Amino acid sequence: MKHTTHRSTRLNIGHRYSEKETVIVTGSSGLIGAQIIKRLSENFNVVGLDREGNPHPPIEAECVCFDITSEESIKKAMERVNYAYGKKIASVVHLAAYYDFSGKPSSLYEEVTVKGTEKFVKVLQDFEVEQFIFSSTNLIYRPTEPRRKIHEDCPVAPNWDYPESKVDTEQIIRENRVDMKAVLLRLAGVYDEEGHSIPVSHQIQRIYEKQFTSHFYSGDTSHGNVFLHMEDLLDALEKTVEKRKALPEEIAINIGESETPSYQELQDTVGKLIHGEEWETYEIPKPIAKAGAWAMDLFGDPFIKPWMIDRADDHYELDISRAKELLNWEPEHSLIATLPDMIEKLKSDPLNWYKENHLEPPSELKKD
């Protein structure tokens, strides 16, 4: 892939002599990358590394395009970093990874997330990198039961390609970090007031449209997943960079909300906010649910897939005491408290909400 620098306003400023230290953000054009760049740029020179083409990182960062699957491309990108900023790098916030919610196996998990990170970390050994932050996931852990929290030393048991790629990449970082400090942030599912969470936005969509499937669930409705507001995630990333000198040489840290809403709680809350009533939800046997999911997939349903049914009983609750102790971080938001804002945005501008969440609006909205 061609190596290109897009932010020409930064080319000749001489940042290697700046008092500001340098931070690199990979996956810098994504939703998280673009926002953490804006945060960090107040105190650091920020370089955004991502694939060539739109969207580009925000103007606060110099955009250096690279292909993380190509060692040659990574080296060329880092040559640009060395030329403009020197070899000293305060922190690398590594967000670039492959993700596909369809659940289908893909070689890209290995090529992008695992091998791509391995190539990147090895090239970074030619630089003086103080800290390497990796965005892992809470899904690497073995699921738990309600009121039994998962701490960082609990067993890992990834059960599909995405978390498996994160476990493999964590190990790659441990084996190849050399003198870099490594922070493995195990993140919960991210959302904000617009939605921007695939499972949450689809759950809202089903209830908003009164879909037949919105009343059925193939798992234990008292179980659920843990979530994380975007602003709380940005706070955690910023504090991880700021406290890099005080952190251990290698550490894993859970980042998520301390309370996990159950599937039923989400159903009832969304139902009340949209339709003014609790949402009747019935648990159905997995074989029946799989047959129904297969039929919906055949006729074009965009979300519910048979693989999700196997994991419908999975439950995650995080112990975040390490984040409190080492980062002085704890979440200030909760998904349940944010749902009213999310639903209000849906009600006030449904078409925009569907667009923001990459959902196909119902035909009646298109007519309006």
Side-chain angles (χ1 to χ4, degrees), residues 13-25:
I13 298 177
H15 285 288
R16 64 167 57 239
Y17 304 110
S18 168
E19 293 182 359
K20 286 186 176 182
E21 295 179 287
T22 299
V23 171
I24 293 174
V25 177

Side-chain angles (χ1 to χ4, degrees), residues 34-43 230-232 234-236 238:
Q35 295 195 51
I36 193 59
I37 281 172
K38 292 179 181 179
R39 286 277 198 104
L40 295 174
S41 64
E42 296 181 10
N43 297 306
M230 175 67 77
E231 289 299 315
D232 290 326
L234 298 178
D235 287 344
E238 191 171 23

Side-chain angles (χ1 to χ4, degrees), residues 316-341:
Y316 297 93
E317 290 187 28
L318 293 182
D319 179 339
I320 58 171
S321 56
R322 186 177 289 182
K324 292 178 182 179
E325 177 186 353
L326 296 181
L327 302 180
N328 191 29
W329 176 90
E330 58 184 309
E332 297 182 358
H333 304 75
S334 75
L335 177 57
I336 293 296
T338 305
L339 280 174
D341 292 331

Side-chain angles (χ1 to χ4, degrees), residues 2-16:
K2 184 174 67 175
H3 168 261
T4 310
T5 301
H6 293 281
R7 300 305 183 191
S8 59
T9 54
R10 284 184 173 253
L11 292 182
N12 300 306
I13 298 177
H15 285 288
R16 64 167 57 239

Side-chain angles (χ1 to χ4, degrees), residues 49 72 150 190-191 200 297 305 319:
L49 302 184
E72 180 183 359
I150 299 169
V190 180
Y191 69 93
V200 173
D297 191 38
K305 308 295 182 186
D319 179 339

Side-chain angles (χ1 to χ4, degrees), residues 194-197 201-202 352-359:
E194 298 284 350
H196 292 144
S197 164
S201 61
H202 278 84
N352 184 66
W353 188 89
Y354 273 78
K355 180 181 178 181
E356 280 290 323
N357 289 282
H358 307 287
L359 297 170

Side-chain angles (χ1 to χ4, degrees), residues 124-144:
L124 289 176
Q125 290 172 6
D126 291 333
F127 289 75
E128 299 173 38
V129 180
E130 197 169 352
Q131 177 193 65
F132 188 90
I133 302 171
F134 177 59
S135 57
S136 191
T137 174
N138 73 281
L139 298 176
I140 70 171
Y141 292 116
R142 179 181 299 161
T144 185

